[in-house]
Amino acid sequence: MGRGKIHISRIENRTTRQVTFAKRRAGLLKKTHELSVLCDVQIGLVIFSSTGKMFQYCSDSTSMEEIIRRYQYASGTHIPQHSDVEVLNAEMIKIRKETHELELSLQRYTGEDLSCVRFEDLEDLENRLEESVNRVRARKFEILQQEVQNLRLSTKQKEDQNDELCHLIKEHQAAVFAHQHHYQQQMEMLPKSEEHRNLMEQFPFCGEEQPLLQLATTSMQPQFATYHTSTSYLQPNQPHLHDFSLNTPIYGITQS
């Protein structure tokens, strides 16, 4: 029974395709080596995978450069060899041309050197400038909206802080008022002697005259008390008490 024909097409599954490539690549290199040894031929094989990785095989009796040179001679093709100086000069010319075009484009955008510009180019430049202006205005409006939103948020935060400070001030004032009210109630509940003592402590005596005056007044009180107790024994022809001064002797009683 013979082998059936295999339909040759690209394998869609990436993993399966990679496995198949690895297997068939190894088989191809093996068959190439066998052909080179058995038949005494010079073979050069170059393989590039789908990912860009290169695989090559060359017969032991030659090199890949020699095979390529022989291929060029046999096919009549020639790959031009460029020196580094020529490559650098060509690259420099290309860069200078691109730089000149960019400078002209910038001058056109700024409105300079428009004498040699065609009408179609001017229309295209006008349309581009209008689109640029519209984008700039849109960005400007977006930034303004963001700034307004930030200002509103900052104002709201300031108002909240102000309300919090007002609330704290009111609480402090209420606490002070309650403390004063409590202190007044305590003062009203104190006895009079205690209140008098507190008053004396708040207004201490100053100097030496006030204590002497108080002492003199205290020493005079018993005399007046003795006089009042003895008024009932006074004779009818004696003068009234209010007619005498403090220095007038009363029945042998003088002011000490």
Side-chain angles (χ1 to χ4, degrees), residues 126-142:
E126 183 181 5
N127 294 330
R128 292 183 179 181
L129 290 175
E130 288 180 355
E131 292 177 359
S132 301
V133 170
N134 292 332
R135 288 195 296 267
V136 170
R137 288 177 179 174
R139 178 57 181 169
K140 180 181 177 182
F141 182 72
E142 182 181 355

PDB file of all heavy atoms in Angstrom, residues 126-142:
ATOM      1  N   GLU A 126      -2.784  76.569   4.309  1.00  0.00           N
ATOM      2  CA  GLU A 126      -3.855  77.243   5.043  1.00  0.00           C
ATOM      3  C   GLU A 126      -4.710  76.256   5.826  1.00  0.00           C
ATOM      4  O   GLU A 126      -5.058  76.491   7.000  1.00  0.00           O
ATOM      5  CB  GLU A 126      -4.723  78.033   4.064  1.00  0.00           C
ATOM      6  CG  GLU A 126      -5.829  78.834   4.735  1.00  0.00           C
ATOM      7  CD  GLU A 126      -6.672  79.571   3.712  1.00  0.00           C
ATOM      8  OE1 GLU A 126      -6.448  79.381   2.504  1.00  0.00           O
ATOM      9  OE2 GLU A 126      -7.575  80.322   4.137  1.00  0.00           O
ATOM     10  N   ASN A 127      -5.042  75.141   5.203  1.00  0.00           N
ATOM     11  CA  ASN A 127      -5.846  74.125   5.889  1.00  0.00           C
ATOM     12  C   ASN A 127      -5.096  73.551   7.095  1.00  0.00           C
ATOM     13  O   ASN A 127      -5.671  73.342   8.164  1.00  0.00           O
ATOM     14  CB  ASN A 127      -6.221  73.010   4.922  1.00  0.00           C
ATOM     15  CG  ASN A 127      -7.138  73.496   3.822  1.00  0.00           C
ATOM     16  OD1 ASN A 127      -7.927  74.427   4.027  1.00  0.00           O
ATOM     17  ND2 ASN A 127      -7.037  72.900   2.642  1.00  0.00           N
ATOM     18  N   ARG A 128      -3.818  73.300   6.931  1.00  0.00           N
ATOM     19  CA  ARG A 128      -3.032  72.772   8.040  1.00  0.00           C
ATOM     20  C   ARG A 128      -2.947  73.772   9.193  1.00  0.00           C
ATOM     21  O   ARG A 128      -3.051  73.403  10.374  1.00  0.00           O
ATOM     22  CB  ARG A 128      -1.627  72.411   7.556  1.00  0.00           C
ATOM     23  CG  ARG A 128      -1.583  71.228   6.611  1.00  0.00           C
ATOM     24  CD  ARG A 128      -0.157  70.887   6.240  1.00  0.00           C
ATOM     25  NE  ARG A 128      -0.091  69.728   5.341  1.00  0.00           N
ATOM     26  CZ  ARG A 128       1.045  69.206   4.873  1.00  0.00           C
ATOM     27  NH1 ARG A 128       2.217  69.753   5.230  1.00  0.00           N
ATOM     28  NH2 ARG A 128       1.021  68.173   4.079  1.00  0.00           N
ATOM     29  N   LEU A 129      -2.764  75.045   8.827  1.00  0.00           N
ATOM     30  CA  LEU A 129      -2.687  76.067   9.879  1.00  0.00           C
ATOM     31  C   LEU A 129      -4.014  76.205  10.621  1.00  0.00           C
ATOM     32  O   LEU A 129      -4.040  76.370  11.849  1.00  0.00           O
ATOM     33  CB  LEU A 129      -2.288  77.416   9.276  1.00  0.00           C
ATOM     34  CG  LEU A 129      -0.842  77.516   8.775  1.00  0.00           C
ATOM     35  CD1 LEU A 129      -0.599  78.860   8.097  1.00  0.00           C
ATOM     36  CD2 LEU A 129       0.127  77.333   9.928  1.00  0.00           C
ATOM     37  N   GLU A 130      -5.134  76.115   9.896  1.00  0.00           N
ATOM     38  CA  GLU A 130      -6.436  76.175  10.556  1.00  0.00           C
ATOM     39  C   GLU A 130      -6.632  74.986  11.486  1.00  0.00           C
ATOM     40  O   GLU A 130      -7.145  75.139  12.614  1.00  0.00           O
ATOM     41  CB  GLU A 130      -7.542  76.218   9.497  1.00  0.00           C
ATOM     42  CG  GLU A 130      -7.636  77.545   8.758  1.00  0.00           C
ATOM     43  CD  GLU A 130      -8.745  77.547   7.730  1.00  0.00           C
ATOM     44  OE1 GLU A 130      -9.366  76.470   7.546  1.00  0.00           O
ATOM     45  OE2 GLU A 130      -8.992  78.597   7.127  1.00  0.00           O
ATOM     46  N   GLU A 131      -6.224  73.816  11.057  1.00  0.00           N
ATOM     47  CA  GLU A 131      -6.322  72.648  11.934  1.00  0.00           C
ATOM     48  C   GLU A 131      -5.436  72.810  13.168  1.00  0.00           C
ATOM     49  O   GLU A 131      -5.841  72.457  14.291  1.00  0.00           O
ATOM     50  CB  GLU A 131      -5.914  71.393  11.157  1.00  0.00           C
ATOM     51  CG  GLU A 131      -6.881  71.005  10.051  1.00  0.00           C
ATOM     52  CD  GLU A 131      -6.408  69.795   9.271  1.00  0.00           C
ATOM     53  OE1 GLU A 131      -5.306  69.299   9.604  1.00  0.00           O
ATOM     54  OE2 GLU A 131      -7.123  69.341   8.355  1.00  0.00           O
ATOM     55  N   SER A 132      -4.251  73.369  12.979  1.00  0.00           N
ATOM     56  CA  SER A 132      -3.359  73.596  14.117  1.00  0.00           C
ATOM     57  C   SER A 132      -3.960  74.591  15.090  1.00  0.00           C
ATOM     58  O   SER A 132      -3.910  74.404  16.317  1.00  0.00           O
ATOM     59  CB  SER A 132      -1.996  74.091  13.624  1.00  0.00           C
ATOM     60  OG  SER A 132      -1.398  73.155  12.757  1.00  0.00           O
ATOM     61  N   VAL A 133      -4.556  75.666  14.556  1.00  0.00           N
ATOM     62  CA  VAL A 133      -5.187  76.675  15.425  1.00  0.00           C
ATOM     63  C   VAL A 133      -6.345  76.068  16.196  1.00  0.00           C
ATOM     64  O   VAL A 133      -6.532  76.342  17.393  1.00  0.00           O
ATOM     65  CB  VAL A 133      -5.640  77.881  14.582  1.00  0.00           C
ATOM     66  CG1 VAL A 133      -6.508  78.823  15.416  1.00  0.00           C
ATOM     67  CG2 VAL A 133      -4.427  78.638  14.060  1.00  0.00           C
ATOM     68  N   ASN A 134      -7.129  75.237  15.547  1.00  0.00           N
ATOM     69  CA  ASN A 134      -8.252  74.593  16.240  1.00  0.00           C
ATOM     70  C   ASN A 134      -7.764  73.675  17.360  1.00  0.00           C
ATOM     71  O   ASN A 134      -8.350  73.648  18.455  1.00  0.00           O
ATOM     72  CB  ASN A 134      -9.090  73.794  15.237  1.00  0.00           C
ATOM     73  CG  ASN A 134      -9.806  74.693  14.249  1.00  0.00           C
ATOM     74  OD1 ASN A 134     -10.125  75.839  14.559  1.00  0.00           O
ATOM     75  ND2 ASN A 134     -10.048  74.187  13.044  1.00  0.00           N
ATOM     76  N   ARG A 135      -6.691  72.941  17.106  1.00  0.00           N
ATOM     77  CA  ARG A 135      -6.142  72.079  18.160  1.00  0.00           C
ATOM     78  C   ARG A 135      -5.593  72.915  19.319  1.00  0.00           C
ATOM     79  O   ARG A 135      -5.769  72.546  20.494  1.00  0.00           O
ATOM     80  CB  ARG A 135      -5.048  71.175  17.585  1.00  0.00           C
ATOM     81  CG  ARG A 135      -5.574  70.070  16.691  1.00  0.00           C
ATOM     82  CD  ARG A 135      -4.510  69.021  16.453  1.00  0.00           C
ATOM     83  NE  ARG A 135      -3.375  69.575  15.721  1.00  0.00           N
ATOM     84  CZ  ARG A 135      -3.250  69.534  14.391  1.00  0.00           C
ATOM     85  NH1 ARG A 135      -4.197  68.973  13.657  1.00  0.00           N
ATOM     86  NH2 ARG A 135      -2.181  70.036  13.812  1.00  0.00           N
ATOM     87  N   VAL A 136      -4.951  74.030  18.987  1.00  0.00           N
ATOM     88  CA  VAL A 136      -4.411  74.896  20.047  1.00  0.00           C
ATOM     89  C   VAL A 136      -5.543  75.484  20.879  1.00  0.00           C
ATOM     90  O   VAL A 136      -5.481  75.532  22.117  1.00  0.00           O
ATOM     91  CB  VAL A 136      -3.540  76.007  19.426  1.00  0.00           C
ATOM     92  CG1 VAL A 136      -3.184  77.058  20.475  1.00  0.00           C
ATOM     93  CG2 VAL A 136      -2.267  75.416  18.841  1.00  0.00           C
ATOM     94  N   ARG A 137      -6.603  75.927  20.236  1.00  0.00           N
ATOM     95  CA  ARG A 137      -7.742  76.494  20.969  1.00  0.00           C
ATOM     96  C   ARG A 137      -8.423  75.446  21.841  1.00  0.00           C
ATOM     97  O   ARG A 137      -8.828  75.737  22.974  1.00  0.00           O
ATOM     98  CB  ARG A 137      -8.735  77.092  19.981  1.00  0.00           C
ATOM     99  CG  ARG A 137      -8.251  78.388  19.318  1.00  0.00           C
ATOM    100  CD  ARG A 137      -9.245  78.883  18.286  1.00  0.00           C
ATOM    101  NE  ARG A 137      -8.784  80.123  17.681  1.00  0.00           N
ATOM    102  CZ  ARG A 137      -9.406  80.729  16.652  1.00  0.00           C
ATOM    103  NH1 ARG A 137     -10.504  80.182  16.134  1.00  0.00           N
ATOM    104  NH2 ARG A 137      -8.923  81.850  16.168  1.00  0.00           N
ATOM    105  N   ALA A 138      -8.544  74.234  21.294  1.00  0.00           N
ATOM    106  CA  ALA A 138      -9.160  73.170  22.099  1.00  0.00           C
ATOM    107  C   ALA A 138      -8.320  72.867  23.333  1.00  0.00           C
ATOM    108  O   ALA A 138      -8.851  72.701  24.439  1.00  0.00           O
ATOM    109  CB  ALA A 138      -9.331  71.911  21.240  1.00  0.00           C
ATOM    110  N   ARG A 139      -7.007  72.810  23.160  1.00  0.00           N
ATOM    111  CA  ARG A 139      -6.130  72.562  24.308  1.00  0.00           C
ATOM    112  C   ARG A 139      -6.189  73.718  25.295  1.00  0.00           C
ATOM    113  O   ARG A 139      -6.195  73.515  26.524  1.00  0.00           O
ATOM    114  CB  ARG A 139      -4.695  72.352  23.808  1.00  0.00           C
ATOM    115  CG  ARG A 139      -3.677  72.143  24.911  1.00  0.00           C
ATOM    116  CD  ARG A 139      -4.059  70.959  25.783  1.00  0.00           C
ATOM    117  NE  ARG A 139      -3.098  70.773  26.855  1.00  0.00           N
ATOM    118  CZ  ARG A 139      -3.284  69.966  27.884  1.00  0.00           C
ATOM    119  NH1 ARG A 139      -4.397  69.255  27.974  1.00  0.00           N
ATOM    120  NH2 ARG A 139      -2.364  69.847  28.815  1.00  0.00           N
ATOM    121  N   LYS A 140      -6.242  74.938  24.810  1.00  0.00           N
ATOM    122  CA  LYS A 140      -6.344  76.109  25.672  1.00  0.00           C
ATOM    123  C   LYS A 140      -7.643  76.086  26.474  1.00  0.00           C
ATOM    124  O   LYS A 140      -7.650  76.360  27.690  1.00  0.00           O
ATOM    125  CB  LYS A 140      -6.266  77.378  24.831  1.00  0.00           C
ATOM    126  CG  LYS A 140      -6.372  78.667  25.626  1.00  0.00           C
ATOM    127  CD  LYS A 140      -6.309  79.862  24.701  1.00  0.00           C
ATOM    128  CE  LYS A 140      -6.487  81.159  25.492  1.00  0.00           C
ATOM    129  NZ  LYS A 140      -6.482  82.342  24.588  1.00  0.00           N
ATOM    130  N   PHE A 141      -8.748  75.754  25.824  1.00  0.00           N
ATOM    131  CA  PHE A 141     -10.031  75.687  26.515  1.00  0.00           C
ATOM    132  C   PHE A 141     -10.021  74.579  27.568  1.00  0.00           C
ATOM    133  O   PHE A 141     -10.567  74.735  28.668  1.00  0.00           O
ATOM    134  CB  PHE A 141     -11.144  75.438  25.492  1.00  0.00           C
ATOM    135  CG  PHE A 141     -12.524  75.395  26.080  1.00  0.00           C
ATOM    136  CD1 PHE A 141     -13.149  76.549  26.535  1.00  0.00           C
ATOM    137  CD2 PHE A 141     -13.199  74.188  26.184  1.00  0.00           C
ATOM    138  CE1 PHE A 141     -14.417  76.501  27.073  1.00  0.00           C
ATOM    139  CE2 PHE A 141     -14.461  74.137  26.726  1.00  0.00           C
ATOM    140  CZ  PHE A 141     -15.081  75.294  27.175  1.00  0.00           C
ATOM    141  N   GLU A 142      -9.365  73.451  27.248  1.00  0.00           N
ATOM    142  CA  GLU A 142      -9.272  72.358  28.217  1.00  0.00           C
ATOM    143  C   GLU A 142      -8.487  72.780  29.454  1.00  0.00           C
ATOM    144  O   GLU A 142      -8.876  72.476  30.590  1.00  0.00           O
ATOM    145  CB  GLU A 142      -8.614  71.155  27.543  1.00  0.00           C
ATOM    146  CG  GLU A 142      -8.492  69.926  28.442  1.00  0.00           C
ATOM    147  CD  GLU A 142      -7.820  68.774  27.739  1.00  0.00           C
ATOM    148  OE1 GLU A 142      -7.537  68.914  26.528  1.00  0.00           O
ATOM    149  OE2 GLU A 142      -7.572  67.732  28.385  1.00  0.00           O
TER     150      GLU A 142
END
